[in-house]
Amino acid sequence: MGPKRLVIIDGYALLYRAFFATRYLSTSDGRPTNALFGFTAMLFQLLEKVEPHAMVVALDAPGKTFRHDDYAEYKGTRKPTADELKVQLNDARDLIAALGIPAIEVKGFEADDVVGTISRMGEENGYETTIVTGDLDSLQLVDEMVSVMAPKTGVTETVIYTPADVVARYGFGPEFIADFKALKGDTSDNIPGVPGIGDKGAAELITAFGTIESMIEKFEELPAKYQKKIAGNQDQMRKSKWLATIVRDVPLEYDFAVYKLTEDQLTAAVSMLEKLEFRGLVKKAPSVLGRYLGEGRTTEPAVEVIEEALAPTEGSCADYESLLSALSAGPYSVFFAAPPIRDDLFQEEIRLAYVGQGKNVFEVPELAARELLQARPADAILHDAKPTYRFQPAGAPAPGFDTQIAAFVLRSERSNYALRDLVQGYLEVSAPTTPFQLANGLFLLKETLTDRLERESQATVFEGIELPLVPILADMERLGIAADRGQFREFSGQLQTEIAVVQARVHKAAGREFTIGSPKQLGEVLFDEMKLPGAQKTKTGYATGVEVLADLAAEYPIVADVLSWRELTKLKSTYADALERLVRPDGRIHTTYHQTGAATGRLSSNDPNLQNIPIRTELGRSIRKAFHAAEGFRLASLDYSQIELRVLAHLCEEPALVRAFNDREDVHTVTARAMFHENDVTKEQRRMAKMLNYAVLYGVSEFGLAQQLGAGFSVSEARALITQYNERFPSVKEFTNSIIAEARSKGFTTTLRGRRRHFPDIHAARINDRKAAERQAMNAPIQGTAADMLKLAMIHCTEVLRGSSTRMLLNVHDELVFEVPIGGEDIIPKLQRTMEHALELNVPTEVDAKIGHDWNEMTPLTS
DNA sequence: TACCTCACG
DNA sequence: ACGTACGTGAGGTAT
């Protein structure tokens, strides 16, 4: 059990090592076999000890590699391979094939690069990977999910390197191995390095300065003796690093097929070992290879695991008291057979729950399980705890574990977090079917997920941000926000009247009745029948979005009417009518937050979505007006000003941006001044600068920017603006480039608080998919850091509000809405300060506060 | 169910 | 040659 395991063997590196490490051996007819023996012995050891689910051998392709293209002397010092080894290399291919292990080689790349690529793919697919090699260059690939196994003295004695082992041996982590070689050089690969710098000097420099790039940047700070050595050798050093860096995006296909053997393969492999006269290995073969017969490692447990791992003893308890006496101290899981229904906010019904502890699972009345949760929350393991918490009194402490949240933190791009699937996937068992098995699986998942969170450095995000947020969100959902049904109803009526008028005008102008809401019909009316200019085709017909229609509205009244019809019907159906229905008997609207909905770490809100209540148009704000404070209270809205740009400034450290925020200047104006080299910039210039700033956040494309800038802007003008921006703010471009490079090599990006987002598509075959992944990657740390900040702010604000009658109602990404008792407004500056310091940046964060009776009419609060 | 359109940050 | 900014949720029509 535990995670799936992958073994990647660097074939020739291991054979090479085995050749020198194993005493000379030969068959009775004189064929040398020592390298093969060492190789096979190690393989057997692996199969026994690691029990991999998937296995692959990487080989060097014959011919030159891309490294030779740039550096002809690469590996120029290598002596030709000894003949005794050469013959064994050929036999090795046959042996590997006989054992049914896939072998991959890619022309132009070395086996190391193949290893790097597959280990990265394995990581993306959730494999715990062991790289088996005789060559320590691979240490640069080590991380939480990837370890390197290398022969120690002989072949059967091995040493395993985890990140901590690399640090222990070298004094720095795996990420600096390439820098180490860049300084020290490597005679076997003919990598020059920096003359005069060896092990000690290289280690010293890396510990003090990190990468060679930062050494070059901080050249003046280097000790004088190293300055001299490096001075004339910078290019050589850079080149050496390039040579030493393993490529992790080699174009190759590998399907992680489960390693398995047929009876025939086993027979063939054994007869091959017999021919090689490896009598000891032949004897061991049935027990070592036998377990991979048939369906291989992963399916072997399929039947058994349900019987063993997920085979709870099924008990039952009639009430809380008997449940308590049946349980021992420590963690317990609770699985609710029927999750609470959202609509039944205040309703309690007799349902069943399943409480699991180790092998024991008890069927109990839901009420008993709830009592247990309230008595011992810290031990509780739940899946999607929030709906359960909605029924509990406010202010409850967080549960001990939430498997849905943990799975989200690990892989936020998932769309399905069903308990069944997590149990199946993470515990590698066939799908649980009974509630007893689910409670049992839930209990077991905690171990596995905790381990994974730890390995992937996500424990802090889980424990420090996501888990504490669960009860806070439950409290906000339970409380809801007051809203005026009558106002929605009345507004809906007004809209209906207006819609009828506009609709009639549209039909009259068109000369016939048609469904305005049908883009297909609308397109035909406007572009076929009325022959309006500017028709754009989409896959299914004409494009009729605002971008297209807005240009025509001034000249064609029918188009203006269509746009107005759209606004009116949108407001009526999506907002006025829908919200009216959702005002609960307590006079409030209760949204549901999705903590696992957005891959960046943001929250999402649904049923209804209170994060997209209109604000941009006067008419739309009538909707917002219906959200109001309870009797005796006022609403306070506290929002971060330009939070994502501040995060960007922090992350890329662009001096011009940092200075603008430090000086509390308008950042778009500052941007415009810099771009256009003028002190007084026009409104239009500021508008363009603003768009550029946002373009950066989203991953700019020339075409996209031109579209956004509006009519009259060509792609080449947009390109020119981007060039100007990049010239003026070079650190921004460097930052986005480095993020993409990181996403490529590691497979994920990281926010300021360590939250990761994975990008499987960053190596997609289709360029468009790849480009899209790159844009997502450069946006993720920015949006994600802002999300971290908001979530931390919510946690800290909850502490500030403990014991107060002010309460937090809503999260709208960069805004928090509170309900403050009249007379208790002095809490607002405290909340403001709390938000401003939730996550410190190297630029100030500003939070603006507004207060009012409803969500529309709010007056700024200066403090 | 897919697609379009549009509301928000 | 192709499609076009990041992240969402929701309602409508047409299939």
Side-chain angles (χ1 to χ4, degrees):
Chain A
M1 287 220 293
K4 297 175 288 183
R5 289 177 298 278
L6 168 70
V7 162
I8 311 172
I9 301 168
D10 186 337
Y12 292 142
L14 196 60
L15 283 157
Y16 196 80
R17 182 67 190 261
F19 179 70
F20 292 107
T22 315
R23 68 183 198 286
Y24 186 78
L25 285 172
S26 64
T27 54
S28 32
D29 57 356
R31 285 161 52 208
T33 57
N34 62 331
L36 284 170
F37 179 81
F39 181 87
T40 315
M42 186 146 171
L43 185 69
F44 271 37
Q45 204 191 355
L46 259 169
L47 291 172
E48 275 190 300
K49 289 213 178 133
V50 182
E51 292 198 75
H53 300 90
M55 219 170 10
V56 59
V57 176
L59 298 173
D60 294 289
K64 305 245 179 235
T65 72
F66 74 97
R67 290 186 179 83
H68 293 97
D69 293 345
D70 260 40
Y71 181 64
E73 299 83 5
Y74 183 61
K75 295 200 169 173
T77 47
R78 287 270 167 106
K79 293 192 196 104
T81 313
D83 285 341
E84 294 82 40
L85 178 53
K86 256 191 193 164
V87 285
Q88 296 188 59
L89 295 184
N90 288 330
D91 288 346
R93 285 196 174 242
D94 296 338
L95 181 66
I96 291 164
L99 287 167
I101 307 172
I104 297 184
E105 55 175 62
V106 181
K107 212 167 154 38
F109 293 91
E110 292 174 57
D112 260 347
D113 302 317
V114 173
V115 170
T117 302
I118 297 178
S119 66
R120 190 260 307 153
M121 290 161 74
E123 204 146 356
E124 286 163 11
N125 287 288
Y127 282 86
E128 189 180 288
T129 300
T130 306
I131 296 169
V132 188
T133 179
D135 180 351
L136 293 185
D137 285 357
S138 309
L139 289 182
Q140 62 185 276
L141 304 173
V142 168
D143 62 23
E144 296 95 334
M145 294 293 286
V146 178
S147 54
V148 164
M149 182 192 267
K152 210 169 164 185
T153 43
V155 173
T156 40
E157 248 195 285
T158 55
V159 53
I160 289 181
Y161 290 92
T162 63
D165 299 315
V166 175
V167 175
R169 172 166 173 167
Y170 291 93
F172 48 80
E175 65 272 31
F176 298 115
I177 293 287
D179 297 281
F180 183 70
K181 287 188 78 171
L183 292 164
K184 190 199 154 194
D186 182 337
T187 40
S188 74
D189 287 346
N190 202 20
I191 293 177
V194 178
I197 296 188
D199 278 307
K200 236 184 100 209
E204 187 188 326
L205 280 168
I206 288 170
T207 327
F209 295 93
T211 62
I212 60 161
E213 288 78 14
S214 78
M215 290 173 205
I216 292 169
E217 194 183 315
K218 296 177 186 157
F219 188 77
E220 303 299 323
E221 297 167 35
L222 300 180
K225 57 174 178 172
Y226 292 123
Q227 284 193 15
K228 263 190 220 153
K229 289 171 178 165
I230 291 177
N233 291 304
Q234 288 193 5
D235 287 342
Q236 184 165 307
M237 183 165 84
R238 280 206 190 87
K239 184 89 174 199
S240 296
K241 180 170 179 180
W242 177 79
L243 287 168
T245 301
I246 293 175
V247 172
R248 307 199 73 175
D249 53 357
V250 174
L252 62 82
E253 278 180 27
Y254 174 58
D255 61 4
F256 297 92
V258 173
Y259 176 62
K260 56 188 173 189
L261 285 167
T262 61
E263 294 280 355
D264 289 350
Q265 276 175 312
L266 178 59
T267 316
V270 171
S271 92
M272 180 131 188
L273 296 176
E274 278 167 346
K275 266 190 228 155
L276 291 165
E277 299 172 17
F278 296 160
R279 274 168 283 274
L281 294 176
V282 168
K283 227 171 157 183
K284 277 176 96 177
S287 77
V288 175
L289 297 176
R291 76 187 78 187
Y292 295 90
L293 271 178
E295 295 303 310
R297 268 281 308 156
T298 48
T299 44
E300 161 221 312
V303 179
E304 280 175 19
V305 160
I306 276 295
E307 282 169 10
E308 284 175 25
L310 284 195
T313 60
E314 306 185 359
S316 73
C317 299
D319 53 32
Y320 176 55
E321 278 69 33
S322 46
L323 175 60
L324 259 197
S325 55
L327 288 181
S328 44
Y332 61 89
S333 65
V334 181
F335 171 72
F336 291 96
I341 299 160
R342 194 185 3 237
D343 279 2
D344 304 345
L345 254 182
F346 311 105
Q347 187 183 323
E348 292 272 6
E349 221 186 84
I350 301 196
R351 299 195 189 85
L352 290 174
Y354 297 80
V355 178
Q357 204 169 41
K359 281 275 167 195
N360 302 318
V361 179
F362 305 98
E363 184 180 71
V364 302
E366 188 179 301
L367 212 61
R370 288 186 178 283
E371 279 187 62
L372 178 64
L373 285 176
Q374 295 202 34
R376 290 171 50 188
D379 286 331
I381 307 167
L382 294 164
H383 181 78
D384 190 11
K386 183 159 61 64
T388 306
Y389 269 69
R390 246 174 96 144
F391 285 85
Q392 288 178 204
F401 204 86
D402 185 321
T403 48
Q404 184 180 71
I405 304 295
F408 167 73
V409 171
L410 285 168
R411 287 291 179 276
S412 61
E413 73 278 9
R414 276 184 86 118
S415 56
N416 166 25
Y417 296 95
L419 177 59
R420 224 184 102 90
D421 296 321
L422 297 185
V423 169
Q424 196 180 2
Y426 280 103
L427 301 181
E428 294 169 31
V429 299
S430 57
T433 48
T434 69
F436 288 95
Q437 289 173 347
L438 281 161
N440 190 194
L442 178 53
F443 185 86
L444 297 172
L445 263 184
K446 185 198 171 189
E447 285 284 303
T448 305
L449 293 175
T450 303
D451 180 55
R452 287 291 293 270
L453 289 166
E454 200 62 51
R455 283 171 163 281
E456 301 189 24
S457 311
Q458 296 299 286
T460 334
V461 173
F462 177 69
E463 288 160 17
I465 301 181
E466 299 300 342
L467 204 53
L469 199 61
V470 170
I472 295 175
L473 293 173
D475 289 350
M476 291 162 71
E477 293 179 7
R478 188 188 316 101
L479 184 53
I481 180 169
D484 190 332
R485 256 189 106 134
Q487 253 176 282
F488 289 133
R489 184 172 215 115
E490 191 187 329
F491 188 45
S492 173
Q494 292 169 8
L495 289 168
Q496 184 50 55
T497 312
E498 188 61 19
I499 288 166
V501 172
V502 176
Q503 181 168 320
R505 272 211 305 266
V506 170
H507 287 167
K508 192 168 174 221
R512 68 178 178 96
E513 291 196 359
F514 69 100
T515 309
I516 305 175
S518 160
K520 186 165 170 279
Q521 292 187 36
L522 179 65
E524 285 160 10
V525 167
L526 295 181
F527 300 114
D528 285 339
E529 298 173 19
M530 300 184 72
K531 302 269 187 281
L532 263 50
Q536 292 177 36
K537 279 280 186 185
T538 64
K539 275 169 282 186
T540 47
Y542 293 106
T544 66
V546 267
E547 323 76 67
V548 180
L549 299 192
D551 292 341
L552 299 167
E555 206 174 330
Y556 302 94
I558 185 178
V559 176
D561 278 335
V562 166
L563 289 175
S564 135
W565 183 92
R566 286 230 181 110
E567 187 189 5
L568 296 167
T569 52
K570 176 88 175 175
L571 289 174
K572 181 171 188 296
S573 56
T574 307
Y575 296 103
D577 293 348
L579 292 172
E580 188 208 326
R581 283 194 294 273
L582 287 167
V583 179
R584 309 290 314 167
D586 62 348
R588 301 173 75 95
I589 291 180
H590 303 259
T591 185
T592 302
Y593 288 102
H594 269 207
Q595 210 174 339
T596 59
T600 49
R602 270 192 180 179
L603 296 170
S604 79
S605 148
N606 65 10
D607 207 16
N609 183 354
L610 293 187
Q611 292 179 325
N612 70 348
I613 300 303
I615 191 171
R616 291 171 191 173
T617 69
E618 185 56 43
L619 206 54
R621 284 195 289 273
S622 310
I623 296 289
R624 197 163 269 251
K625 205 170 169 45
F627 290 86
H628 61 84
E631 188 72 36
F633 287 80
R634 308 182 112 193
L635 289 183
S637 158
L638 281 72
D639 71 294
Y640 286 95
S641 150
Q642 288 159 340
I643 190 59
E644 293 194 352
L645 280 176
R646 287 175 204 262
V647 169
L648 173 68
H650 172 96
L651 293 176
C652 73
E653 298 181 301
E654 172 60 53
L657 284 179
V658 171
R659 202 177 322 117
F661 283 123
N662 278 331
D663 298 349
R664 317 231 159 199
E665 289 203 69
D666 178 275
V667 69
H668 302 310
T669 305
V670 171
T671 306
R673 273 190 215 134
M675 282 181 67
F676 304 113
H677 304 285
E678 281 168 36
N679 239 329
D680 295 314
V681 294
T682 64
K683 269 194 164 170
E684 177 66 5
Q685 285 173 321
R686 183 182 180 278
R687 187 183 78 92
M688 289 195 281
K690 183 175 175 179
M691 291 201 175
L692 260 301
N693 278 329
Y694 280 95
V696 171
L697 300 181
Y698 300 149
V700 63
S701 86
E702 292 153 4
F703 181 91
L705 180 64
Q707 291 283 298
Q708 197 65 36
L709 285 163
F713 278 90
S714 68
V715 173
S716 61
E717 282 166 311
R719 183 183 309 133
L721 285 172
I722 292 168
T723 310
Q724 263 172 283
Y725 187 97
N726 288 340
E727 275 170 7
R728 196 55 196 79
F729 305 111
S731 315
V732 174
K733 185 76 185 156
E734 281 168 30
F735 165 74
T736 51
N737 283 344
S738 72
I739 291 295
I740 293 172
E742 189 184 346
R744 277 198 200 118
S745 65
K746 295 188 181 160
F748 58 81
T749 59
T750 309
T751 68
L752 213 50
R753 273 303 170 105
R755 177 193 305 277
R756 292 182 180 177
R757 176 176 174 187
H758 293 258
F759 296 91
D761 267 5
I762 202 89
H763 300 286
R766 277 201 295 269
I767 187 165
N768 284 338
D769 296 351
R770 225 159 49 228
K771 290 272 176 227
E774 286 171 7
R775 291 193 298 267
Q776 292 163 357
M778 69 179 86
N779 175 260
I782 302 169
Q783 195 180 117
T785 298
D788 290 349
M789 192 184 294
L790 258 291
K791 285 176 166 176
L792 286 166
M794 292 171 75
I795 293 167
H796 297 168
C797 284
T798 302
E799 284 311 311
V800 170
L801 293 181
R802 213 166 274 285
S804 144
S805 42
T806 294
R807 43 232 190 153
M808 187 157 56
L809 304 185
L810 302 177
N811 162 303
V812 194
H813 305 311
D814 65 359
E815 170 189 11
L816 296 177
V817 177
F818 298 88
E819 204 168 40
V820 186
I822 292 173
E825 291 86 352
D826 52 353
I827 193 86
I828 296 175
K830 287 183 196 158
L831 294 169
Q832 212 172 351
R833 297 290 96 82
T834 304
M835 287 173 70
E836 282 172 347
H837 296 102
L839 201 175
E840 299 290 346
L841 304 177
N842 60 19
V843 295
T845 52
E846 286 182 41
V847 171
D848 298 324
K850 288 177 296 183
I851 188 162
H853 160 266
D854 63 66
W855 203 7
N856 182 44
E857 313 259 5
M858 302 195 107
T859 51
L861 205 95
T862 44
S863 65

